[in-house]
Amino acid sequence: MHVRISMERPEESAAIKSLYQWLAKDPDVARTAELSLTTQAPEPGSMGWDMDTINVVLSNSLAGLNAVLAAVTVWRQNRPTGSGGVRVDTVEDPPNPAGDSGGDDRDRG
């Protein structure tokens, strides 16, 4: 399972970097998730600016998601009131091409 974490207000890039560091130091998150910090450009033709996001790949979907959500909750509780909210979205894994089992494609006949 993939999860994307962003701030509700894109101008809060310092906050998303702080959250990334918090998640990277959490032992439960480290055990069940792989993190990366990326910058998303706005959709072509739309008004907006680049937005930093945390991409999370979970090795154990339920336990990993619980660990990430718990860590985000504790991080939010330690932030000043009035700071922007955190958005956590699940992202569907891309499907395998039809017939691709991930094995060797050579003819075994």
Side-chain angles (χ1 to χ4, degrees), residues 3 8 31 41 63 68 70 97 109:
V3 175
E8 289 183 347
R31 190 172 30 260
V68 168

Side-chain angles (χ1 to χ4, degrees), residues 1-106:
M1 173 187 279
H2 291 93
V3 175
R4 184 178 299 130
I5 303 171
S6 58
M7 300 304 291
E8 289 183 347
R9 296 191 305 227
E11 67 272 15
E12 293 195 42
S13 64
I16 198 74
K17 289 174 181 147
S18 168
L19 177 55
Y20 174 80
Q21 291 170 345
W22 182 277
L23 292 172
K25 292 177 184 176
D26 186 288
D28 293 330
V29 173
R31 190 172 30 260
T32 59
E34 184 178 317
L35 306 172
S36 63
L37 185 63
T38 60
T39 300
Q40 283 186 293
E43 294 291 324
S46 68
M47 296 175 61
W49 50 82
D50 293 349
M51 176 189 259
D52 291 328
T53 60
I54 300 170
N55 291 312
V56 183
V57 178
L58 302 171
S59 59
N60 180 334
S61 297
L62 188 54
L65 186 57
N66 282 336
V68 168
L69 293 176
V72 168
T73 300
V74 172
W75 178 83
R76 282 286 295 141
Q77 290 171 344
N78 287 291
R79 302 281 300 161
T81 57
S83 58
V86 177
R87 181 178 174 137
V88 179
D89 296 302
T90 57
V91 180
E92 289 189 37
D93 293 329
N96 284 337
D100 181 12
S101 63
D104 191 351
D105 290 338
R106 289 180 282 170

